[in-house]
């Protein structure tokens, strides 16, 4: 009898533990498309250590959103182009512009410190590594900074060109990557030494786009410009493996745990004039594509990064919020009052956060299964959001770039 009761008790304890942490335990037999967490030893073990949360740009929070939409507090960000990162010890980091500062607050809105990084705009969201070091770039000056968690500058590296990219990415060994305004992909060590640099006129250095890295850490995906949509680069040989598409990409690609890539673009393999939302395999083949019927001239909006939940459902928001299953079939669609201009995020259960810019008055929406769970109106003149929100410690942090505030919701 004891042999039967003991395993049952252990199973109940495990289930209760997962519920207390707000994390859904994976099923015994994972369904197709189930998204495993990708270990990334160089990155801080925190709720939101970098732009859109991880090197694959999934925008997925590891847990459930346990907030009700009430505004907690505002932080005056003094003109904001970047997203927000959250440290393991409950601090947030973000950058302001004109002049450029990096700021540190705790999650209750109490000021810790700020450090001046330059005189011009900063576009790159801070990144926190596993040692608590913080990396960011002063935009116009093109200088990469490493700071301690106390705000002390540890080293700088001059990239030689301005940097407008949203994401400073990191590989599993802790090396940092960014495309500068000269069309160069830079690889810089965690000690501030240039490892290598590649120039390619097809690399897109525009604001709102950046690189993603494959789950195994061996391939980098770079948004293209002009007649190339995506370039896959082998990080071992530093050579281009394949390219895809024939239009500029204005957002950062999302990579799932199976290695599939998601992006908006045109492709002559389907229709060279019409844009689609594509899922392609890690060898550059079309897995499926979805016609979202927005129109040729309004097919992509900058910074509109998709997101993916733990079941492999894909979400993207333009004129509407779309939910596609792992095979690319439409699950549901929710019309928005205005276009979405910023990355969207979700939790593991598929609750999606969208920042809607509605005629100068923004709304923050939490949407589950095509229904609005809650909405919060932001009463600032000419408000808007163009950077990724962040989730952590039962709070949602939303950067706004017109009213220049960070809005914290609980």
């Amino acid at each position: 009898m004891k042999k039967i009761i003991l395993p049952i008790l252990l199973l109940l304890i495990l289930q209760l533990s997962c519920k207390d942490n707000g994390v859904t335990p994976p099923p015994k037999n994972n369904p197709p498309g189930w998204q495993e967490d990708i270990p990334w030893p160089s990155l801080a073990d925190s709720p939101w250590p970098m732009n859109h949360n991880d090197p694959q740009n999934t925008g997925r929070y590891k847990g459930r959103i346990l907030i009700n939409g009430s505004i907690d507090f505002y932080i005056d960000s003094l003109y904001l182009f970047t997203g927000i990162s959250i440290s393991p010890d409950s601090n947030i980091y973000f950058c302001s512009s004109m002049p450029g500062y990096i700021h540190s607050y705790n999650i209750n809105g109490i000021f810790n410190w700020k450090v001046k990084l330059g005189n011009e705009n900063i576009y790159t969201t801070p990144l926190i590594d596993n040692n608590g070091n913080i990396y960011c770039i002063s935009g116009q000056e093109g200088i990469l900074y490493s700071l301690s968690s106390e705000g002390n500058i540890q080293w700088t590296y001059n990239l030689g060109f301005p940097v407008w990219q949203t994401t400073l990415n990191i590989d599993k060994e802790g090396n940092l990557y960014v495309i500068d305004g000269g069309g160069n992909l830079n690889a810089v060590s965690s000690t501030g030494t240039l490892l290598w640099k590649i120039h390619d006129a097809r690399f897109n250095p525009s604001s709102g786009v950046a690189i993603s890295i494959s789950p195994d850490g061996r391939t980098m995906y770079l948004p293209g410009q002009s007649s190339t949509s995506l370039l896959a680069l082998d990080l071992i040989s530093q050579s281009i493996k394949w390219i895809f598409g024939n239009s500029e990409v204005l957002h950062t690609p999302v990579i799932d745990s199976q290695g599939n890539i998601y992006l908006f673009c045109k492709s002559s393999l389907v229709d060279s004039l019409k844009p689609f939302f594509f899922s392609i395999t890690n060898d550059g083949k079309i897995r499926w594509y979805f016609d979202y019927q927005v129109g040729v001239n309004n097919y992509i909006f900058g910074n509109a990064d998709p997101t993916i939940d733990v079941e492999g459902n894909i979400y993207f928001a333009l004129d509407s919020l779309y939910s596609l299953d792992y095979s690319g079939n439409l699950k549901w669609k929710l019309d928005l009052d205005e276009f979405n201009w910023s990355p969207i995020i979700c939790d593991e259960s598929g609750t999606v956060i969208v920042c809607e810019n509605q005629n100068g008055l923004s709304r923050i929406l939490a949407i589950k299964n095509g229904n609005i769970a809650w909405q919060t109106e932001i009463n600032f003149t000419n408000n808007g959001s163009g950077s990724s929100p962040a989730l952590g410690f039962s709070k949602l942090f939303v950067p706004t770039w017109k009213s220049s505030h960070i809005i914290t919701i609980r």
Side-chain angles (χ1 to χ4, degrees):
M1 187 69 176
K2 290 181 180 179
K3 291 182 179 180
I4 298 174
I5 294 174
L6 185 58
I8 295 174
L9 288 173
L10 289 173
L11 181 60
L12 287 172
I13 291 169
L14 177 62
Q15 289 177 339
L16 289 171
S17 174
C18 290
K19 289 180 179 180
D20 289 343
N21 292 327
V23 176
T24 301
K28 291 181 180 179
N29 297 311
N30 292 345
W34 185 267
Q35 296 300 296
E36 302 285 353
D37 291 337
I38 301 168
W40 215 262
S42 62
L43 203 57
D45 184 16
S46 77
W48 209 270
M50 62 180 289
N51 187 74
H52 223 217
N53 199 25
D54 51 50
Q56 291 71 48
N57 196 50
T58 66
R60 183 177 67 251
Y61 174 64
K62 296 178 179 68
R64 295 184 180 182
I65 299 173
L66 303 175
I67 56 180
N68 59 23
S70 302
I71 294 177
D72 195 3
F73 59 85
Y74 302 100
I75 296 174
D76 186 353
S77 63
L78 304 175
Y79 211 59
L80 186 74
F81 289 117
T82 77
I84 298 158
S85 298
I86 306 175
S87 71
D89 57 353
S90 308
N91 293 312
I92 66 170
Y93 303 104
F94 61 91
C95 295
S96 63
S97 297
M98 298 192 307
Y101 283 91
I102 180 170
H103 303 253
S104 172
Y105 285 75
N106 74 16
I107 59 167
N108 296 314
I110 298 173
F111 173 78
N112 292 325
W113 50 260
K114 70 176 181 179
V115 177
K116 186 177 180 181
L117 300 182
N119 297 311
E120 297 291 341
N121 297 335
I122 297 176
Y123 300 92
T124 306
T125 301
L127 182 150
I128 311 167
D129 74 8
N130 62 338
N131 293 314
N133 301 311
I134 309 152
Y135 303 99
C136 56
I137 301 173
S138 60
Q140 293 300 111
E141 289 90 351
I143 298 175
L144 171 60
Y145 287 83
S146 171
L147 300 98
S148 70
S149 58
E150 293 80 26
N152 299 312
I153 296 176
Q154 301 174 129
W155 55 257
T156 63
Y157 179 79
N158 192 336
L159 296 160
F161 292 91
V163 172
W164 305 300
Q165 291 231 306
T166 303
T167 303
L168 176 67
N169 218 323
I170 188 170
D171 66 19
K172 292 187 177 184
E173 287 71 43
N175 302 311
L176 305 161
Y177 300 89
V178 68
I179 299 174
D180 63 41
N184 303 297
L185 172 63
N186 299 268
V188 181
S189 74
S190 59
T191 58
T193 301
L194 180 67
L195 300 174
W196 48 264
K197 179 184 291 191
I198 298 174
H199 175 79
D200 193 315
R202 296 171 295 182
F203 294 161
N204 193 341
S206 301
S207 175
V209 302
I211 55 181
S212 302
I213 301 178
S214 64
D216 62 10
R218 297 177 181 176
T219 305
M220 182 172 291
Y221 300 105
L222 303 104
Q225 58 183 337
S226 185
S227 59
T228 303
S229 301
L230 189 72
L231 302 95
L233 182 135
D234 186 293
L235 281 175
I236 306 300
S237 64
Q238 291 111 53
S239 60
I240 301 298
K241 297 164 61 176
W242 50 262
I243 61 173
F244 181 85
N246 65 304
S247 64
E248 182 177 16
V249 168
L250 298 176
H251 69 99
T252 305
V254 169
I255 320 297
D256 69 21
S257 64
Q258 288 78 13
N260 302 307
I261 305 113
Y262 303 87
L263 75 162
F264 304 98
C265 69
K266 301 175 186 177
S267 171
S268 59
L269 297 174
V270 179
D271 184 333
S272 61
L273 298 178
K274 186 174 182 178
F276 295 90
F277 183 65
F278 284 94
S279 173
I280 57 178
T281 62
N282 60 9
D283 57 357
K285 303 296 190 300
I286 295 175
R287 184 166 158 259
W288 52 255
Y289 58 91
F290 179 79
D291 184 358
Y292 51 91
Q293 300 177 343
V294 173
V296 173
N297 294 323
N298 293 315
Y299 75 101
I300 295 174
F301 284 80
N303 296 13
D305 298 1
T307 188
I308 183 169
D309 69 20
V310 76
E311 294 181 357
N313 300 307
I314 317 296
Y315 306 89
F316 64 91
L318 296 169
D319 63 326
S320 305
L321 174 63
Y322 297 79
S323 172
L324 309 181
D325 67 19
Y326 187 67
S327 299
N329 303 306
L330 180 67
K331 295 184 65 177
W332 50 261
K333 172 185 172 184
L334 177 67
D335 292 336
L336 302 175
D337 292 334
E338 294 291 332
F339 271 91
N340 169 67
W341 292 88
S342 59
I344 62 173
I345 63 174
C346 71
D347 70 358
E348 61 165 15
S349 71
T351 299
V352 184
I353 301 295
V354 177
C355 300
E356 184 185 60
N357 300 314
Q358 184 183 7
N359 298 320
L361 178 65
S362 291
R363 291 191 305 169
I364 301 169
L365 306 173
I367 299 164
K368 174 74 172 180
N369 295 325
N371 300 306
I372 297 175
W374 54 258
Q375 61 181 357
T376 303
E377 291 190 354
I378 310 302
N379 297 309
F380 292 129
T381 303
N382 294 322
N383 199 21
S385 178
S387 302
S388 174
L391 279 162
F393 299 105
S394 300
K395 292 187 180 182
L396 169 68
F397 301 90
V398 179
T400 65
W401 54 274
K402 287 186 178 179
S403 65
S404 297
H405 287 78
I406 289 175
I407 302 156
T408 305
I409 295 175
R410 55 179 171 81

